[in-house]
Amino acid sequence: MPTAPKPRQLISLLMLRHNTVVQASELIDELWPELPPPSAVTTLQTYIYKFRKLLLKQGLGNLLQTQPGGYSLTIPPSSLDVNLFEKRAEEGQELLQRGDSAAALACFEQALALWRGPALADVETGGRLLSYVTRLEELRFRILELRIEADLENGRHRELISELKALVMAHPLHEHLHGLLMVALHRSGRRHEALEVYQTLRQKMIDELGLEPGKELARLQHTLLSDSPAEPQEPPRRPTTRSAARPGPAAAPATPATAHADAPVGGSPAPLATPLPSELPLAPVPAPRPVHPSSPVSVAPPPPAPHLPVPGAGAGAAQVPARLPSPAAVPESIATPAQLPAGLAGFVGRDDVLKELEAALREPSGPAADGTTAHIGVVTGPPGVGKSALAVHLAHTLRPHFPDGQLYADLCGSAAEPRDPSEVLRGFLWALEVPTSRIPECLEERGALFRSRTAGRRVLVLLDDVASSAQIRHLLPADPRCALLVTGRRRMTALVEAERVELGAPSPEEALEILAVLAGRQRVDREPEAAHRTVELLGRHPLALRCVGGRLAAGPGLSLSALADRLEATPRILDMARLGELDVRSRFAASYAGLSHQEQGVFRLLSMLGETPFTTSQAAELLSRPVRELESVLEVLADNHLLATDRCADGIGRYVFERLTRAYAKERLEETLAAPPVAEQVGVR
């Protein structure tokens, strides 16, 4: 197996999809989820060539075949641990369905013994691999639950207690695991501990989620309290989860061939497919008093649920519901936050972009209203291009469509230390009237509570200056009536469901309008040629135009012609693009500081190519570096919008400097050349 990350990704995806054709476009999407480089196809072919070479050394060169539009890896299913795991899991479920819990237990134990670590633990995962890994981890967790239920049906309740205690500590809000622990404790003669397990879970759910435990757990708790007999009933067939373990060609993708584990990981599994095993009788209980997250805890148990017999427990067995109920509705007393910052005075232009994003984020009123995810808009672009100003302006426009609140956070993604999403969630939850003492410490649990508090409501969330899509994973509201608006300097194509806008320089007309709003329309109308020259010399950069417009407003005697002449003559145009706290150079410097030493060196040297579009080969010739070594650096620079991408009529991908970006790169190059000699070698990673 290669050690380089991307070849390992490629091989993993081919193994996941063994015996089927994997399209080249799918492999490219996995390897470069944000932005494929112009040479993506060539690089992919190189990885395939190296993989085939490895197989040839082992005498297995015929396993990898080139197919129309893609590649296929032919592997006998019996040679993969993951296939054995799925086969044993399916056999165990069928045996459990037939009531043979002893044989099912043996199959589950054999299946779980094949795991020796998290799925694809040593492989970087893009969107496609991550979906496969998630499915496999969920299936493993489900098989673990079934194995524990089979253990209980075989009378191994005492042996399970320590394992179940460890599991509920790792998954403190998992109701099914708590129910299994309660049953094991009760059967071991430790009923008081079983009741404590319920009270601990109930208190935690109320404090962190504002929810009561589900009906089956409430009935199980009341059974422990009452210990009254129940009428015997014939047990039903246990439902199977075969479709989850062995999908057909059109179902969920295959599971990783290299995955192993010895303990459950990941989030909560799918809804319960089998009842809790138990031998406890049930009795009627009174209805509870409603509980609000900020009110004292109620101790009255919930009402009973419809009785279902428990399989494998025999006559007189307890009856519990087979599935967990849906989460309770969010309390109506949640505050209505209005956190949007003030909009930019004199905001002009961007009409097409605003209409596009507004249409994507507004709550639909037609068939699209039945969606299942929040609407997401992403605005990316170079430093100072006006991403934040546009997003804030749009958010204020959308306020009437989100009457339940507007939340805002600056994630400082361009700073040396971006904000911790956990702290952002703390602020959001506090704004939604969750007491500080009841805000969980765990990031995942804070995210779950945030989704619960925004469920059923129309809330707009604006996240400014995001470093990457990973930074906002837990900040997304889940309700389809909510909307999320994101800005950032890096492209975030991993948010595949989002409406993405890459903001560039405004049109010449919009740029002139920005200057006119700040400097005065009469001055622009008196000197139209000088105004147009000023706009173009500044590359139509919005922040630079605001700086220069502010200078003109502060100096009534300064003519536009004189200003344009100064801009044309100055060797450091960024000195003119500064006014008080507004400083274009500092915006570029923040992005530059986030680059590696090699990337900074390439960025500086590329300024010698001017503002003409250039190919990777031309850049490699300038730097005397191999093309393949340079590709990753150019990808990073483009991803950070320090280079723009341009595809000409010949279809060849090219890069190009925006005017002020090149001016900054040229300044850094001149400073480096003027500095005392140091032992520095500019290269690529």
Side-chain angles (χ1 to χ4, degrees):
M1 188 75 169
T3 57
K6 290 192 182 301
R8 293 175 74 86
Q9 278 182 272
L10 177 139
I11 294 172
S12 297
L13 188 54
L14 288 172
M15 293 184 73
L16 290 170
R17 302 274 297 279
H18 60 278
N19 303 332
T20 62
V21 177
V22 184
Q23 296 297 317
S25 59
E26 297 179 83
L27 293 167
I28 290 173
D29 287 343
E30 171 63 28
L31 297 176
W32 297 281
E34 296 289 342
L35 178 68
S39 59
V41 174
T42 303
T43 305
L44 173 62
Q45 292 171 347
T46 301
Y47 293 156
I48 291 290
Y49 168 75
K50 291 181 178 179
F51 182 31
R52 185 174 279 118
K53 195 173 180 180
L54 281 175
L55 293 174
L56 285 170
K57 288 183 179 179
Q58 304 297 323
L60 303 172
N62 61 330
L63 297 186
L64 181 61
Q65 300 293 328
T66 300
Q67 304 289 351
Y71 307 91
S72 65
L73 185 64
T74 304
I75 303 177
S78 59
S79 65
L80 298 178
D81 283 353
V82 67
N83 285 10
L84 295 177
F85 165 72
E86 290 188 321
K87 183 179 179 181
R88 293 290 182 268
E90 183 177 341
E91 291 173 355
Q93 291 176 89
E94 291 176 348
L95 289 167
L96 205 58
Q97 178 85 2
R98 296 198 296 264
D100 190 351
S101 59
L105 176 60
C107 286
F108 292 146
E109 288 176 338
Q110 292 171 12
L112 293 171
L114 294 169
W115 289 75
R116 292 187 292 273
L120 294 184
D122 55 353
V123 177
E124 293 184 5
T125 55
R128 296 177 185 274
L129 283 181
L130 184 60
S131 67
Y132 302 156
V133 169
T134 300
R135 176 191 166 275
L136 184 59
E137 295 288 3
E138 294 284 0
L139 177 58
R140 176 180 66 154
F141 200 94
R142 181 70 192 123
I143 297 305
L144 176 67
E145 288 183 288
L146 293 175
R147 193 226 81 204
I148 293 172
E149 291 181 11
D151 270 329
L152 285 172
E153 293 182 12
N154 282 276
R156 300 185 67 249
H157 39 270
R158 289 185 176 86
E159 294 87 341
L160 285 173
I161 290 176
S162 59
E163 179 183 5
L164 282 168
K165 284 188 173 181
L167 286 171
V168 298
M169 289 182 65
H171 305 275
L173 297 174
H174 197 297
E175 295 185 52
H176 191 212
L177 291 177
H178 283 76
L180 293 172
L181 177 57
M182 291 170 66
V183 171
L185 288 168
H186 173 75
R187 293 182 180 178
S188 302
R190 298 158 67 173
R191 185 167 57 158
H192 67 288
E193 292 184 49
L195 291 169
E196 289 176 359
V197 169
Y198 177 83
Q199 291 299 336
T200 300
L201 172 65
R202 182 171 181 272
Q203 182 69 57
K204 194 170 187 65
M205 290 186 67
I206 291 173
D207 288 347
E208 298 186 8
L209 303 178
L211 302 174
E212 287 276 2
K215 292 181 179 180
E216 65 267 34
L217 273 188
R219 290 174 58 78
L220 184 57
Q221 182 246 10
H222 191 69
T223 296
L224 292 171
L225 290 171
S226 62
D227 207 17
S228 58
E231 294 182 4
Q233 298 186 34
E234 193 70 24
R237 291 177 58 84
R238 182 185 297 264
T240 182
T241 57
R242 177 184 299 185
S243 61
R246 304 284 296 182
T255 52
T258 58
H260 302 280
D262 55 9
V265 298
S268 300
L272 297 180
T274 58
L276 292 173
S278 176
E279 297 171 352
L280 305 176
L282 297 173
V285 293
R289 175 172 60 86
V291 175
H292 186 275
S294 60
S295 64
V297 176
S298 169
V299 296
H307 288 194
L308 291 177
V310 177
Q319 305 157 3
V320 294
R323 289 189 177 272
L324 295 172
S326 300
V330 176
E332 291 298 327
S333 60
I334 294 180
T336 304
Q339 298 184 342
L340 297 179
L344 180 66
F347 182 88
V348 297
R350 309 291 194 183
D351 294 336
D352 292 341
V353 172
L354 288 170
K355 289 178 182 177
E356 180 181 350
L357 288 171
E358 183 176 356
L361 295 177
R362 284 179 57 175
E363 181 185 358
S365 56
D370 296 329
T372 58
T373 58
H375 306 285
I376 304 175
V378 177
V379 183
T380 62
V385 79
K387 302 179 293 293
S388 299
L390 180 138
V392 171
H393 180 82
L394 175 62
H396 280 286
T397 303
L398 291 171
R399 284 183 64 178
H401 302 284
F402 298 94
D404 296 317
Q406 306 88 42
L407 298 168
Y408 169 83
D410 183 354
L411 271 64
C412 304
S414 56
E417 295 184 4
R419 284 188 67 186
D420 184 353
S422 184
E423 290 305 308
V424 175
L425 279 172
R426 176 188 289 273
F428 284 176
L429 292 171
W430 183 85
L432 294 170
E433 286 192 339
V434 178
T436 304
S437 61
R438 295 179 178 175
I439 296 178
E441 291 300 322
C442 174
L443 172 61
E444 288 77 9
E445 293 180 5
R446 286 185 181 182
L449 180 55
F450 174 65
R451 292 189 292 274
S452 295
R453 298 292 280 184
T454 54
R457 307 183 72 85
R458 290 174 291 177
V459 176
L460 173 65
V461 181
L462 172 55
L463 301 177
D464 196 16
D465 194 13
V466 172
S468 67
S469 54
Q471 192 184 16
I472 63 172
R473 186 193 319 167
H474 298 286
L475 299 173
L476 276 69
D479 197 286
R481 286 164 291 190
C482 294
L484 174 69
L485 183 56
V486 175
T487 75
R489 297 187 184 182
R490 296 189 63 183
R491 297 183 173 101
M492 285 173 275
T493 53
L495 295 172
V496 295
E497 69 277 27
E499 180 73 26
R500 287 186 298 274
V501 171
E502 191 161 319
L503 211 60
S507 66
E509 294 76 18
E510 290 180 343
L512 284 171
E513 183 65 18
I514 293 173
L515 188 63
V517 167
L518 294 168
R521 190 169 305 278
Q522 291 182 350
R523 297 172 77 175
V524 170
D525 290 342
R526 280 199 307 266
E527 300 180 273
E529 188 277 332
H532 180 76
R533 189 156 53 105
T534 299
V535 164
E536 293 303 322
L537 286 169
L538 293 172
R540 305 199 302 274
H541 193 280
L543 183 58
L545 288 170
R546 292 192 175 276
C547 293
V548 168
R551 285 175 178 268
L552 289 167
L558 179 62
S559 69
L560 270 169
S561 298
L563 177 65
D565 291 342
R566 287 177 59 184
L567 288 172
E568 205 163 23
T570 181
R572 292 170 62 91
I573 195 171
L574 293 179
D575 289 342
M576 301 289 293
R578 182 174 57 192
L579 183 67
E581 296 180 354
L582 300 179
D583 183 6
V584 175
R585 183 183 285 113
S586 66
R587 306 296 178 91
F588 288 122
S591 294
Y592 178 81
L595 302 176
S596 69
H597 178 73
Q598 293 83 0
E599 291 159 357
Q600 290 178 350
V602 170
F603 174 69
R604 295 191 300 263
L605 290 173
L606 287 176
S607 65
M608 294 188 294
L609 291 173
E611 298 175 25
T612 303
F614 58 88
T615 64
T616 305
S617 300
Q618 290 171 328
E621 183 179 356
L622 172 69
L623 302 178
S624 300
R625 294 285 179 178
V627 171
R628 290 176 182 171
E629 292 185 17
L630 193 59
E631 285 175 344
S632 61
V633 177
L634 296 178
E635 290 174 31
V636 172
L637 295 178
D639 189 43
N640 285 274
H641 287 94
L642 293 174
L643 280 179
T645 54
D646 178 54
R647 189 171 295 276
C648 297
D650 57 9
I652 299 176
R654 289 176 170 82
Y655 298 95
V656 64
F657 268 115
E658 300 290 352
R659 172 160 293 185
L660 294 191
T661 309
R662 177 179 175 266
Y664 178 77
K666 189 177 178 183
E667 284 185 7
R668 301 309 298 249
L669 177 63
E670 292 170 351
E671 292 170 2
T672 302
L673 295 175
V678 293
E680 175 180 279
Q681 182 178 7
V682 176
V684 296
R685 67 181 182 184

